[in-house]
Amino acid sequence: MRIYFDSKWHDEEVLISVMDRGFMYGEGVYESLRTYNGSLFAPQKHFNRFKRSSQILGIPLKMDFEEFKSILLDGIRDVKEDCTIRVVLTNGDGKKPLFLAYIMELQAPPSDIYTYGVDIGISKLRKMDESSLPSALKTTSHANLMIARQGKENFYEVLMLNSRGFVAEGFMSNLFLVENNTLVTPSIETGILDGITREVVIDLAKSLEIRIDERLVNVDELFNCSECFLTRTSAGIIPVRKIENRSVFQDEPGIITQLLIENFKPYIFQRSDLW
């Protein structure tokens, strides 16, 4: 693991103050990026979200996109395998913010997951209302997620409903369903994070002339859909085999899920705005 701290990269662990407000109070924001074939995926989009989160918490991000990208490119220059990059901004001592970046082994699932799928659950704990905690904020404080996952540790992912009872998102991913040959996903208005891979998959589906419906999703749709998959930066598109005790597929993911998986990488590599 490589760590960017105090304006330079380190190949060993670094020390931060126990008085750092990110450590003491969770006053921090983050983004997780990844590389494909050694190139940063969607760095501009990740930077924009990172800056937005910092503004929501009121922590000044004292760098522009070019500096942000330059730091990360310098960090991955000698990394031979695809990797995960996490950037963190904390409130530091309350006067001077602290910026950190980590380069780690790619946090992606094993390849057979794309064939066999994953099992997901539904949490009884609901997401905080937008009026209390904006969904656009990626904060380092995951207390609500830790509570929501209790008793659901055996699932790959756990979905949360919003305060009104509509299906929102997972802890680390966005959700898609297939109903009547239409791709359905909870809308931003549901109170979800605007996932970057989610956005790319929607664009990909449109390019393949797959019907898209972004809207409020009822819980019963989870148990009646013909296909289901998750999207997240580190893993792309992940088929869902089972939702709680309901089996979505037996032998292989559905046709639309497979079509999107097969076309995902070719599609992103042809999009110059993602690199």
Side-chain angles (χ1 to χ4, degrees):
M1 181 168 67
R2 303 193 72 200
I3 304 170
Y4 184 83
F5 170 71
D6 198 20
S7 301
K8 61 183 178 181
W9 284 100
H10 303 260
D11 291 319
E12 55 187 21
E13 290 190 16
V14 300
L15 300 178
I16 65 171
S17 171
V18 294
M19 301 302 290
D20 184 275
R21 296 183 68 85
F23 171 73
M24 294 187 72
Y25 305 114
E27 294 179 7
V29 298
Y30 77 98
E31 277 287 326
S32 291
L33 299 83
R34 66 159 292 171
T35 61
Y36 281 100
N37 296 345
S39 297
L40 286 173
F41 174 63
Q44 180 75 69
K45 292 180 181 294
H46 280 286
F47 175 79
N48 292 345
R49 284 202 322 195
F50 191 48
K51 184 175 182 179
R52 181 183 68 189
S53 291
S54 73
Q55 291 172 336
I56 292 173
L57 273 195
I59 304 175
L61 178 60
K62 298 182 178 180
M63 66 175 64
D64 59 17
F65 171 65
E66 292 305 322
E67 182 181 359
F68 174 84
K69 185 177 180 181
S70 177
I71 289 170
L72 299 190
L73 288 177
D74 183 43
I76 66 174
R77 182 169 291 115
D78 298 322
V79 178
K80 294 179 171 54
E81 302 290 335
D82 278 333
C83 58
T84 293
I85 305 105
R86 176 161 294 193
V87 292
V88 179
L89 182 72
T90 79
N91 206 18
D93 60 4
K95 298 178 181 178
K96 182 181 178 182
L98 174 67
F99 174 78
L100 297 164
Y102 308 76
I103 296 176
M104 305 170 282
E105 182 179 350
L106 184 63
Q107 305 296 296
S111 59
D112 61 359
I113 270 184
Y114 299 98
T115 301
Y116 299 109
V118 297
D119 296 349
I120 64 175
I122 305 170
S123 176
K124 293 181 180 179
L125 188 73
R126 296 192 177 184
K127 284 178 61 66
M128 293 183 68
D129 190 82
E130 281 284 298
S131 61
S132 299
L133 187 70
S135 58
L137 174 66
K138 280 183 71 82
T139 173
T140 55
S141 176
H142 283 186
N144 63 322
L145 301 184
M146 292 177 66
I147 296 171
R149 195 169 182 87
Q150 290 176 4
K152 301 285 184 178
E153 292 86 357
N154 291 332
F155 290 109
Y156 174 82
E157 175 65 295
V158 179
L159 303 178
M160 294 184 73
L161 311 184
N162 70 9
S163 60
R164 294 181 291 163
F166 293 104
V167 179
E169 60 191 347
F171 298 169
M172 55 187 178
S173 57
N174 291 113
L175 175 75
F176 286 82
L177 309 174
V178 175
E179 299 178 5
N180 300 318
N181 293 317
T182 298
L183 195 57
V184 177
T185 188
S187 60
I188 299 299
E189 291 71 28
T190 305
I192 64 169
L193 181 71
D194 51 341
I196 292 167
T197 302
R198 171 188 181 274
E199 176 189 336
V200 172
V201 167
I202 289 173
D203 291 341
L204 168 60
K206 290 177 179 177
S207 76
L208 296 171
E209 299 185 344
I210 298 170
R211 292 196 300 273
I212 301 288
D213 195 1
E214 297 181 65
R215 58 171 172 78
L216 299 176
V217 176
N218 292 305
V219 176
D220 61 356
E221 295 180 69
L222 296 174
F223 299 95
N224 292 293
C225 63
S226 57
E227 300 179 39
C228 179
F229 63 83
L230 308 171
T231 59
R232 56 182 297 208
T233 292
S234 63
I237 300 170
I238 308 171
V240 171
R241 173 180 288 269
K242 184 183 289 186
I243 305 172
E244 291 286 346
N245 293 320
R246 187 252 164 155
S247 179
V248 180
F249 71 87
Q250 294 290 337
D251 300 321
E252 59 183 16
I255 294 173
I256 290 180
T257 302
Q258 289 190 55
L259 182 63
L260 291 168
I261 291 174
E262 290 167 3
N263 284 277
F264 180 74
K265 285 187 179 179
Y267 177 74
I268 64 173
F269 287 134
Q270 73 180 25
R271 287 266 304 264
S272 60
D273 62 310
L274 295 177
W275 306 98

